[in-house]
Each structure stands twice: as C-alpha cells, then as structure tokens.
Amino acid sequence: MVFFTNCQKKETKENTVKEEIKKEEVKKAPAAKVAAPAPSPFSTLEQKVGLTDVTIEYSRPSMRGRTIFGDLVPYGKTWRTGANVNTKVTFSTNVTVNGKNVEKGTYALYTVPNQKTWDIMLYKDADNWGNPKEWDDAKVVASITADVVKMPMKIETFTITLDDLTNNSGVIGILWEDVYVGLPIEVPTDAAVMASIDEVMKGSPNARAYYDAAVYFKSEDKDISKAVTWIDKAVEMSKDDPKFWMLRQQSLIHAKAGKTATAIAAAKQSLELAKKAGNDSYVKMNENSLKEWGAK
C-alpha cells in the first residue's frame, strides 16, 4: 500500500508539472493573425532616370467616398503624402531639385497642399511615422512650390508616378482625387556618360561602343561630326553581319549632319534588312524617312 500510494503521489506531481508546462507554452505561443488586406496597401516604384536609380516607397490610401483635399487632408498643413510610415524617395546618385544639390540617399517626401499650389519638400529624416514630432527646417534639403493641375477625372487611390523622362530629368507626380502636382528632378547623366565615352575611346572600342557613343551624341545635340565618325566605324565593324537598327541610326545621324545622300543609302539598306527580319516598325520608319528625304 505504501508503494502504491507513493506511485500515485509521484504520478499526480508529474501530471501537475505537465499541466504547468502546457500553460506556459500557451502563454508563449504567438497570437493568431488574421490575413486581411491593408486599408492603404504598400507600394514600391523603381525607375531608372538616365543612369540614376530612383525608388519611391509609399502607402496608398483610397478615397472611399470621402472629400480629400481641404477636408481629409487639410489645406495649409504639412502632410505625410500618403499613409502610414513616411513616403520615401531614394536616389542612387546626387540629383538636383529646384537648383539645389541633393546628395544620394533616402528622403521623406512631405507636402503642404493648398487649392492652387502645393509646397513639396524632401526631408532629411525619413524614419518618422507620419510627420516629425518637431519639424526642423534645416532638414529640408530641397523644396518647390508646384502649381495644382486639375484633372478631368477622379483618381480613387493615391498614386505617385515618375514621368516626363529624359536622359537628364524626370518628374515625380503626385495624383489623388482630381489633383496632380509634380516635383521635377535633374540627374547628372551627361557628366557620367561623357566620362564613360572618354574612357572607352582611350582603349579599343568595339562596334557597340561606337554605336552607343554616336547615338548619345545625336540625341543630346552634341558634336554631330563625331557622331558620324563613330556610327560609320560601328557599321564598318559590323559589315559581315549588318544590323538594320544600326543602319537606321546611321541614316538619322547622316541626315542630321546634312549628308542626305548617305542617309538615304543607309536607310535603304536598313529597310531591306528590316523586311527580311520581319520588323514592320523599322520598315515603316525607314519608308517614312526615305519619303521625307526625297529618295527615289
């Protein structure tokens, strides 16, 4: 009996310990999380502007029947420009905004909406949830006052775009309700490309290097005589396997240099090769150019 009683006590003690362990495990277990869509879903926009990578991270609230500007977003007050955490803009190189140099890095995008204009600001401290507790004008690295453009339709969900792209610039667009405002940025593409061209030309450029340099000079209205020299070298180096797209650029560069006869000859070659390749777009472009240049 004594042995049996002791065994019962031991078993009861073990069960009690097990129950306590289970209770502790329940306490430590993470609470179940419901999978549901966010009211203001997060979005990332990545865009190459010239040679600069621009990344915009932001959350996107929707109108949902509400009046936005002048109500949900008051006029005359600093707005986080989106929802939740800061809207962040990251540049991979230095850029220029409204004549001011902005060093590469990440910035918060803040705005002060008004009926006819908005103040748009890049703010050095990008780790706030919404507006900073204490606003510091010294942390505004660049700002502009942008005109409000009224749109003919409503944009239900807050949207940021990067448009009007050139080799050297772009515009960060902000759209919501029936409002559009833009923040122009300039990027240092030309300096980087010219340095690259100078370095490559010191060595032994291949056909593609000559082609890229020539096309860049044409597109940026630089020394057209150099562009002619480089595109001719690219075409000559590719003569065993001629490319319709390379000959197309040769025709355009020669035409820009006033060399109509050689432009027509190159366009005719490009046209025939484009037909063989079944590229209707290049066929059409060459036909249009030949007509414009009075080819027979």
Side-chain angles (χ1 to χ4, degrees):
M1 283 293 290
V2 172
F3 175 76
F4 180 73
T5 303
N6 286 339
C7 287
Q8 278 189 318
K9 287 181 179 178
K10 184 178 180 181
E11 185 177 347
T12 301
K13 187 176 181 180
E14 288 178 351
N15 288 339
T16 301
V17 171
K18 288 180 180 178
E19 288 298 321
E20 291 299 322
I21 291 173
K22 285 182 180 179
K23 288 179 181 178
E24 287 299 315
E25 288 177 347
V26 169
K27 288 180 182 178
K28 292 178 181 178
K33 187 176 181 180
V34 175
S40 301
F42 182 78
S43 181
T44 300
L45 169 63
E46 296 178 338
Q47 178 64 59
K48 179 81 76 174
V49 183
L51 297 175
T52 300
D53 295 314
V54 181
T55 303
I56 302 174
E57 302 167 274
Y58 69 112
S59 294
R60 305 184 63 192
S62 292
M63 290 175 63
R64 298 189 180 91
R66 301 173 293 184
T67 299
I68 304 302
F69 298 114
D71 190 357
L72 180 67
V73 178
Y75 288 135
K77 293 187 177 181
T78 303
W79 179 41
R80 72 178 73 185
T81 319
N84 303 327
V85 297
N86 289 152
T87 290
K88 296 180 180 180
V89 182
T90 301
F91 305 111
S92 67
T93 70
N94 292 1
V95 302
T96 303
V97 175
N98 197 24
K100 288 189 175 181
N101 180 64
V102 176
E103 295 183 355
K104 68 178 182 179
T106 300
Y107 301 90
L109 180 68
Y110 288 113
T111 53
V112 179
N114 289 293
Q115 284 184 300
K116 294 184 178 180
T117 62
W118 284 28
D119 293 328
I120 307 176
M121 298 162 285
L122 293 176
Y123 195 78
K124 202 168 188 178
D125 182 1
D127 294 324
N128 297 290
W129 184 281
N131 293 346
K133 289 183 180 179
E134 292 185 11
W135 183 268
D136 185 353
D137 284 333
K139 292 182 178 180
V140 178
V141 296
S143 65
I144 68 162
T145 299
D147 291 333
V148 169
V149 177
K150 284 288 185 179
M151 295 183 293
M153 71 292 188
K154 296 289 180 71
I155 302 297
E156 170 66 23
T157 303
F158 177 69
T159 300
I160 296 180
T161 63
L162 232 168
D163 302 308
D164 299 342
L165 300 176
T166 72
N167 287 337
N168 301 295
S169 64
V171 177
I172 297 174
I174 300 170
L175 304 92
W176 202 16
E177 201 171 32
D178 60 348
V179 165
Y180 170 89
V181 292
L183 172 67
I185 62 171
E186 295 178 1
V187 294
T189 305
D190 189 64
V193 174
M194 291 302 294
S196 176
I197 289 173
D198 289 344
E199 186 64 27
V200 170
M201 292 304 168
K202 290 176 184 176
S204 301
N206 58 20
R208 185 66 200 220
Y210 280 124
Y211 171 84
D212 289 339
V215 171
Y216 184 75
F217 265 46
K218 174 182 73 75
S219 66
E220 295 301 309
D221 294 324
K222 293 185 179 293
D223 188 341
I224 196 63
S225 63
K226 277 189 178 180
V228 169
T229 299
W230 288 337
I231 195 64
D232 288 352
K233 286 184 178 180
V235 170
E236 174 63 23
M237 293 172 75
S238 306
K239 64 183 179 182
D240 292 336
D241 184 19
K243 313 294 185 185
F244 62 83
W245 44 268
M246 189 177 287
L247 287 159
R248 169 67 182 165
Q249 288 299 324
Q250 185 184 41
S251 72
L252 295 174
I253 291 169
H254 277 240
K256 190 168 185 176
K259 298 176 177 290
T260 306
T262 49
I264 289 172
K268 285 181 176 179
Q269 284 182 272
S270 178
L271 175 61
E272 292 308 311
L273 289 171
K275 285 179 178 178
K276 289 179 182 178
N279 193 306
D280 293 338
S281 294
Y282 272 79
V283 169
K284 181 64 174 174
M285 287 189 293
N286 280 306
E287 286 177 341
N288 289 344
S289 292
L290 287 167
K291 184 178 179 180
E292 177 188 342
W293 299 331
K296 296 180 180 179

